[in-house]
Amino acid sequence: GIQVEQSPPDLILQEGANSTLRCNFSDSVNNLQWFHQNPWGQLINLFYIPSGTKQNGRLSATTVATERYSLLYISSSQTTDSGVYFCAVDYTGTASKLTFGTGTRLQVTL
Amino acid sequence: DVKVTQSSRYLVKRTGEKVFLECVQDMDHENMFWYRQDPGLGLRLIYFSYDVKMKEKGDIPEGYSVSREKKERFSLILESASTNQTSMYLCAVYSPSGANVLTFGAGSRLTVL
């Protein structure tokens, strides 16, 4: 199956700092999503981004499908950004084979 | 956007008990999923269903079964709970049009003693 690697595994930032999270995947995909899991365990979809660039407020993401990686940018980080960020990829188009990375744990401190 | 509701947030069960975890969506989407999440292992797919009474095994189906009698409801069943099934269980629904995203419920944290 597809392998998904995320880096870094852990990240500590001061409030206001910027960060870049990376997701590498081993094969062609037609579905790539970024999720944020808050400290209470709720997983929230941030982006559906199998290719190209998207922005939503302080967050943006870029996927370079031909080079099999995706980047999630967090600017002006806030304590509410803390949690675990997951990248997930799928080649079926139906999410039936969605494979998750092991995540990047982000802690934003005051 | 679809809303996904899991019936129990926290459960404590004894070894050998039968456990039902329920998941309900407020739309009419076909694809529903059950994952379990464990530290260091990430999210792993247990089962998914692509329509009423239709199901497929995921990566770790052993010890679990599922039921989908109505389109909006997808149940995960542990026939005889064991301590190694202590975990966070997450239900998800796939929205195929527009956003093409997976939406998760809040999760059910199960402890088997």
Side-chain angles (χ1 to χ4, degrees):
Chain A
I2 296 178
Q3 305 300 311
V4 183
E5 292 183 355
Q6 291 186 243
S7 60
D10 295 281
L11 189 57
I12 300 175
L13 298 174
Q14 272 201 319
E15 198 170 42
N18 301 328
S19 62
T20 301
L21 282 58
R22 187 176 180 105
C23 171
N24 292 333
F25 45 96
S26 62
D27 211 337
S28 299
V29 298
N30 56 18
N31 183 342
L32 187 147
Q33 296 180 44
W34 282 98
F35 294 90
H36 174 225
Q37 187 170 38
N38 66 23
W40 296 272
Q42 175 74 59
L43 270 158
I44 304 293
N45 178 74
L46 298 175
F47 293 104
Y48 166 75
I49 188 164
S51 62
T53 297
K54 290 186 178 179
Q55 179 155 7
N56 184 3
R58 296 181 295 102
L59 301 182
S60 64
T62 295
T63 297
V64 183
T66 52
E67 297 187 21
R68 298 181 185 166
Y69 73 87
S70 183
L71 302 174
L72 178 69
Y73 306 97
I74 305 174
S75 64
S76 305
S77 57
Q78 300 177 358
T79 55
T80 51
D81 295 330
S82 296
V84 184
Y85 290 81
F86 290 98
C87 166
V89 302
D90 177 44
Y91 60 85
T92 67
T94 62
S96 58
K97 300 291 182 187
L98 204 65
T99 300
F100 285 77
T102 51
T104 292
R105 183 174 299 276
L106 173 65
Q107 183 180 350
V108 181
T109 62
L110 293 172
Chain B
D1 293 353
V2 64
K3 182 178 177 182
V4 183
T5 303
Q6 292 185 230
S7 56
S8 304
R9 190 78 175 95
Y10 298 96
L11 301 95
V12 179
K13 298 291 182 181
R14 297 209 174 271
T15 300
E17 279 192 78
K18 190 168 186 175
V19 181
F20 291 88
L21 300 178
E22 295 209 315
C23 174
V24 179
Q25 60 163 311
D26 67 348
M27 289 195 171
D28 201 34
H29 295 310
E30 292 175 340
N31 291 5
M32 298 184 73
F33 305 81
W34 276 106
Y35 290 87
R36 66 177 278 177
Q37 184 178 21
D38 301 287
L41 296 176
L43 277 83
R44 295 177 292 167
L45 181 64
I46 305 172
Y47 267 98
F48 73 96
S49 169
Y50 49 93
D51 208 339
V52 174
K53 297 187 189 287
M54 307 302 282
K55 62 186 179 186
E56 276 197 31
K57 294 179 180 179
D59 299 319
I60 51 163
E62 296 78 19
Y64 303 95
S65 62
V66 290
S67 171
R68 191 152 179 214
E69 297 296 320
K70 293 185 178 181
K71 201 163 192 178
E72 69 270 19
R73 188 179 300 268
F74 190 34
S75 302
L76 181 68
I77 303 159
L78 288 67
E79 294 288 343
S80 178
S82 62
T83 54
N84 62 14
Q85 293 178 309
T86 292
S87 187
M88 169 72 100
Y89 290 88
L90 294 157
C91 175
V93 175
Y94 176 64
S95 305
S97 58
N100 277 319
V101 298
L102 208 58
T103 302
F104 282 87
S108 298
R109 188 168 294 279
L110 172 67
T111 301
V112 182
L113 302 175

